[in-house]
Amino acid sequence: MTDVTFAALGLAEPILRALAGENYSTPTHIQAKAIPLLLAGRDLLGIAQTGTGKTAAFAIPMLQKLSAGHVPPDSKQARGLILAPTRELAVQIEQSLRTYGRHLNLRMAVILGGVNQSGQVRTMARGVDILVATPGRLLDLVQQKHVRLDAVQVFVVDEADRMLDMGFIRDVRKLVAMLPRRRQSMLFSATMPEDIASLSREMMNAPERIEVAPQGRTADRIVQMLYHVPMPQKRQLLSKLLEDVALNRVIVFTRTKHGANRVAEHLSKTGVAAEAIHGNKSQNARQRALDLFKSGKARVLVATDIAARGIDIDHITHVVNFELPNEPESYVHRIGRTARAGGDGVAISFCDPTERGYLRDIERLTRNKIEVLAHELPELPPEQASQQGLRPAQNHSRGNHNPHKPQQKGGHSDHNPHAPKKRGGSRPYWSKERRTQRGSRPGGPAKATNTAS
């Protein structure tokens, strides 16, 4: 949190009124640093861990600049352009713009793939003040002469490193070449590999650099825990965890699309309302899954990494890494779906013996040793255990001390209140008796403070 208010940043009254309507009064660190620079017209390279409010940091100054002395756009033109790597993120950015700009007379639109382009073409025929787009569909419409980029005054690339990961940088460079040379440009990203730093030098003019948190650092308010569990038992463990009502709104991440489908189907068969979201689903199906999750009709959203940066939903209590990502940076983005806007959250990871290399990479990047918990699942049969590379009677727990007993000298000094209680063997943290003793749900996040995201 910062000591300043949005009113102190020099924002226009209609924007302040919209923020007040959302109970936003105090900017996050990235917002407090970025907004004054952007209002002054500077180019900006912003680096901040996910969930710190980057969207408002660039959306609010863009709205203010384009509303001052408003000049309506011509047909097919856009005065502001925001590029996002995923459809979900593009939709959410446009929703945020409409929220912050509800009292401004600005036209906004979103262009993305996966749906028929006819509605997007009709919208652009009138021209818009701000266009949010994924690079591929936008490039298609520009080449078909349905969109003109010659009037863009403010240009933003959000989640620039994800653009690189998804292979969109070539399309981004083509689009940049079509923009006016005189413009304000911004790049925002959670991490900043050298390729993106090089791209920023090509796209921007003497940009200011803001870095709110060290690269790879996970949110301080996220309680992280780990279960060593063979792949054949992961679905069983997930179902066991979900017996705890504290896991109220949960995102489960898998590495593959088929894996996401299988996990969602398993949960649905066991009575847990779950939806899957991944790249093979149509945009309408993906939006339907998100709507069900947002409304609470689906308790669990099972997603591939396409959603790791594209989901900004309030009060996600837990993130479960059903499979560890093969890129450690993805772990940071995944668990950043919880503990947003100053709230608390829990991240639970399952680690199969074949994933231990991924675990080492994650702990090296985040500079954090994840607390290991025990589970009470039966051991695999010897032949299956051998196939999984497990030793018989393997005990992975480092955190099964009694939380009500003071630590002995030489024990773990950093006590984890969510570690299972030992009583004739490990007791999982979802135990009803455990919850009664604690008087609260395990790892349940506190109510988030009111900050714009």
Side-chain angles (χ1 to χ4, degrees), residues 251-254 303-305 307-308 319-323 334 337:
I251 299 183
V252 176
F253 282 105
T254 63
T304 57
D305 282 312
V319 168
V320 177
N321 290 297
F322 187 85
E323 296 168 309
R334 286 181 178 189
R337 298 309 96 200

Side-chain angles (χ1 to χ4, degrees), residues 259-298:
N261 286 337
R262 286 194 295 267
V263 171
E265 290 168 3
H266 164 77
L267 292 177
S268 296
K269 288 178 181 177
T270 60
V272 176
E275 294 287 331
I277 180 172
H278 52 69
N280 277 0
K281 288 184 174 286
S282 69
Q283 182 57 31
N284 288 336
R286 287 158 64 168
Q287 194 59 48
R288 174 183 173 276
L290 279 176
D291 291 343
L292 289 172
F293 186 59
K294 286 180 180 179
S295 67
K297 294 179 181 177

Side-chain angles (χ1 to χ4, degrees), residues 170-209:
R170 180 177 296 181
D171 288 350
V172 171
R173 284 196 165 102
K174 288 180 181 178
L175 292 167
V176 170
M178 302 174 187
L179 299 174
R181 293 184 62 85
R182 296 191 63 179
R183 65 177 189 272
Q184 183 179 28
S185 299
M186 311 164 219
L187 264 78
F188 282 81
S189 186
T191 62
M192 192 58 54
E194 179 53 38
D195 286 345
I196 298 303
S198 175
L199 179 65
S200 70
R201 290 190 290 269
E202 298 172 21
M203 293 173 51
M204 297 192 289
N205 178 31
E208 293 282 347
R209 180 183 174 113

Side-chain angles (χ1 to χ4, degrees), residues 126-154:
R126 299 178 56 213
V128 297
D129 292 291
I130 302 177
L131 175 62
V132 188
T134 53
R137 173 56 64 88
L138 177 60
L139 190 58
D140 285 345
L141 294 187
V142 170
Q143 292 170 342
Q144 294 175 46
K145 302 189 184 305
H146 293 305
V147 177
R148 294 168 49 192
L149 302 180
D150 56 328
V152 172
Q153 301 173 31
V154 185

Side-chain angles (χ1 to χ4, degrees), residues 309-320:
R309 315 246 193 128
I311 296 178
D312 186 7
I313 298 174
D314 293 337
H315 312 306
I316 292 175
T317 60
H318 293 71
V319 168
V320 177

Side-chain angles (χ1 to χ4, degrees), residues 217-233:
R217 181 179 175 183
T218 49
D220 295 333
R221 291 178 173 269
I222 301 175
V223 175
Q224 299 174 61
M225 54 187 71
L226 176 79
Y227 290 95
H228 284 288
V229 56
M231 180 60 72
Q233 293 183 306

Side-chain angles (χ1 to χ4, degrees), residues 363-433:
E363 292 181 333
R364 186 180 301 115
L365 175 71
T366 61
R367 298 186 292 278
N368 174 55
K369 193 74 172 176
I370 304 175
E371 184 76 10
V372 179
L373 304 183
H375 58 73
E376 289 187 328
L377 299 181
E379 293 181 16
L380 290 175
E383 63 277 6
Q384 206 170 356
S386 177
Q387 292 174 1
Q388 292 290 313
L390 294 174
R391 294 188 299 273
Q394 191 168 6
N395 181 4
H396 301 290
S397 175
R398 291 193 296 108
N400 56 352
H401 45 264
N402 187 335
H404 304 289
K405 184 177 180 180
Q407 289 294 297
Q408 300 297 322
K409 185 176 181 180
H412 295 292
S413 58
D414 295 330
H415 169 60
N416 181 353
H418 312 292
K421 180 180 178 182
K422 179 137 184 174
R423 180 179 173 184
S426 61
R427 178 177 295 274
Y429 84 98
W430 60 81
S431 161
K432 292 182 180 178
E433 178 183 326

